[in-house]
Amino acid sequence: MQQHGGGDASQRIARISAHLNPNKSQMEGNPNLERSNCRAKGGAPGFKVAILGAAGGIGQPLSMLMKMNPLVSVLHLYDVANTLGVTSDISHMDTSTVVRGFLGPQQLENALTGMDLVIIPAGVPRKPGMTRDDLFNINAGIVKTLCEGIAKCCPKAIVNLISNPVNSTVPIAAEVFKKAGTYDPRRLLGVTMLDVVRANTFVAEVLGLDPREVEVPVVGGHAGVTILPLLSQIKPPCSFTSEETAYLTSRIQNGGTEVVEAKAGAGSATLSMAYAAVKFADACLRGLRGDADVIKCAYVPSVVTELPFFASKVRLGRNGVEEIYPLGPVNEFERAGLEMAKKELAASIQKGISFANK
């Protein structure tokens, strides 16, 4: 067996540690081991993705699932605590994605430079008795800071915003990007995919179908009555009694609270949220790759209603949102729900804009 000299071994060790902690002295000035040159052998060509809030309840399973995605070549994990442990753990998975960890605000810019997609689950979770709006004061500030970093370091990246309350944090992000002169409404998407995932699951239970065969469009926003499942447009086509419609709509709207209460103070929906976030991120990456007909629901800058932001079906492509679809035919129950949703949504949007501009 060939014996490698000590120099080779130390080079290999240095290369590995450069993956895990790329900011450590840039490997004592060795140009071959700088972060930009650190590639796993056989690393697939793909997209560069950053997760901001990677060590949190959503961030950890989200990071793991993105490490498994063959479309991701480089995965940057950023948080204000515990990132290096999560990075070390996930880097042991035998997939081609190269993982790098970044810790604290001083490393935010390094984490973001050159990214194609930025996913933001950062912030505090809901506790029992809290609304998503109760999170506003803490999470609004976090989102603002992170978006300032994006505007500076990767202004052309697609941004997937998960941090609640999404109804307000997406308008905050838009205002930050406008101030920086980098705003592109096609590249800013609030992730409402968990509402769709829940709707598909709950409807499939009632119909006795495989959830993977069910498709329920969910429009409006991402909190309480702003979540409006359009059960009249379900695929496969199916009709519900008024009792079933009321039950399903209420359960989909309160799915998050169901989990918060079941966890009894130990957090909110993290695992299903990570699953939904990866499903949506994968759709964004397929759009970036140029795949045709990638259509998902998302909360985006919109002219579908009179509101400046609204969740509906969008077609994803190389620039993010390539097309926003109209709501289509809605029944009386949904029309009434839409009016309620818009009223609450208008206040949440204004709250976000006011925060960003104060």
Side-chain angles (χ1 to χ4, degrees):
M1 189 172 138
Q2 187 184 353
Q3 292 294 316
H4 289 286
D8 282 357
S10 63
Q11 285 251 329
R12 288 201 307 279
I13 290 164
R15 193 179 290 280
I16 290 163
S17 65
H19 287 322
L20 297 183
N21 194 358
N23 300 291
K24 221 177 197 170
S25 73
Q26 283 300 354
M27 307 326 299
E28 283 114 29
N30 183 333
N32 294 324
L33 294 179
E34 286 189 8
R35 184 170 70 244
S36 58
N37 295 325
C38 275
R39 298 287 293 119
K41 238 187 186 158
F47 297 103
K48 294 180 177 178
V49 178
I51 297 175
L52 309 183
I58 297 166
Q60 290 198 37
L62 173 57
S63 300
M64 183 182 81
L65 292 167
M66 289 307 285
K67 170 79 165 105
M68 295 163 67
N69 189 316
L71 294 179
V72 181
S73 60
V74 174
L75 184 62
H76 282 191
L77 306 183
Y78 170 85
D79 215 320
V80 292
N82 306 328
T83 332
L84 301 183
V86 173
T87 305
S88 175
D89 196 352
I90 284 174
S91 73
H92 294 184
M93 295 165 59
D94 59 351
T95 68
S96 62
T97 307
V98 174
V99 186
R100 299 175 186 137
F102 301 84
L103 180 64
Q106 67 285 0
Q107 291 189 3
L108 177 61
E109 291 188 11
N110 285 345
L112 288 171
T113 301
M115 294 295 107
D116 301 303
L117 173 68
V118 179
I119 309 172
I120 311 180
V124 294
R126 277 204 292 163
K127 298 273 195 319
M130 284 175 85
T131 64
R132 287 183 180 88
D133 224 36
D134 292 335
L135 305 174
F136 180 86
N137 292 327
I138 302 169
N139 289 357
I142 293 170
V143 167
K144 189 173 182 217
T145 302
L146 296 176
C147 287
E148 284 164 356
I150 292 168
K152 186 176 177 184
C153 301
C154 54
K156 295 234 177 314
I158 307 288
V159 178
N160 286 182
L161 194 45
I162 297 168
S163 309
N164 273 317
V166 167
N167 292 353
S168 301
T169 55
V170 171
I172 290 169
E175 292 301 308
V176 169
F177 296 148
K178 282 176 191 171
K179 269 187 199 153
T182 64
Y183 182 52
D184 182 346
R186 300 172 301 174
R187 296 176 190 274
L188 174 60
L189 302 101
V191 180
T192 59
M193 193 73 201
L194 182 52
D195 302 322
V196 176
V197 163
R198 285 179 176 139
N200 294 345
T201 303
F202 301 161
V203 167
E205 283 173 9
V206 167
L207 296 178
L209 292 172
D210 183 330
R212 291 168 298 181
E213 293 166 7
V214 176
E215 194 185 309
V216 184
V218 182
V219 303
H222 181 59
V225 298
T226 69
I227 299 167
L228 185 62
L230 299 179
L231 296 170
S232 65
Q233 296 181 24
I234 176 184
K235 288 178 185 167
C238 173
S239 57
F240 296 101
T241 65
S242 55
E243 289 80 10
E244 285 172 332
T245 300
Y247 161 77
L248 283 167
T249 300
S250 171
R251 190 167 177 214
I252 293 160
Q253 288 175 339
N254 296 302
T257 304
E258 193 177 301
V259 176
V260 168
E261 288 171 356
K263 288 195 173 182
S268 56
T270 52
L271 303 172
S272 53
M273 182 62 245
Y275 165 81
V278 167
K279 205 171 173 176
F280 188 72
D282 181 70
C284 289
L285 293 176
R286 285 185 286 118
L288 279 174
R289 185 173 66 178
D291 290 18
D293 298 323
V294 182
I295 297 166
K296 297 288 174 200
C297 290
Y299 180 66
V300 295
S302 171
V303 292
V304 164
T305 69
E306 65 276 19
L307 298 172
F309 299 90
F310 197 80
S312 62
K313 277 189 178 180
V314 301
R315 181 168 59 81
L316 300 165
R318 292 194 194 275
N319 297 299
V321 176
E322 301 285 1
E323 188 178 357
I324 301 174
Y325 294 98
L327 293 183
V330 295
N331 62 28
E332 212 170 302
F333 179 86
E334 291 160 353
R335 221 179 344 266
L338 188 59
E339 291 315 308
M340 271 197 301
K342 285 198 291 194
K343 198 173 169 187
E344 187 170 312
L345 207 44
S348 299
I349 291 168
Q350 192 48 55
K351 189 173 183 177
I353 293 170
S354 301
F355 175 87
N357 291 323
K358 73 178 181 193

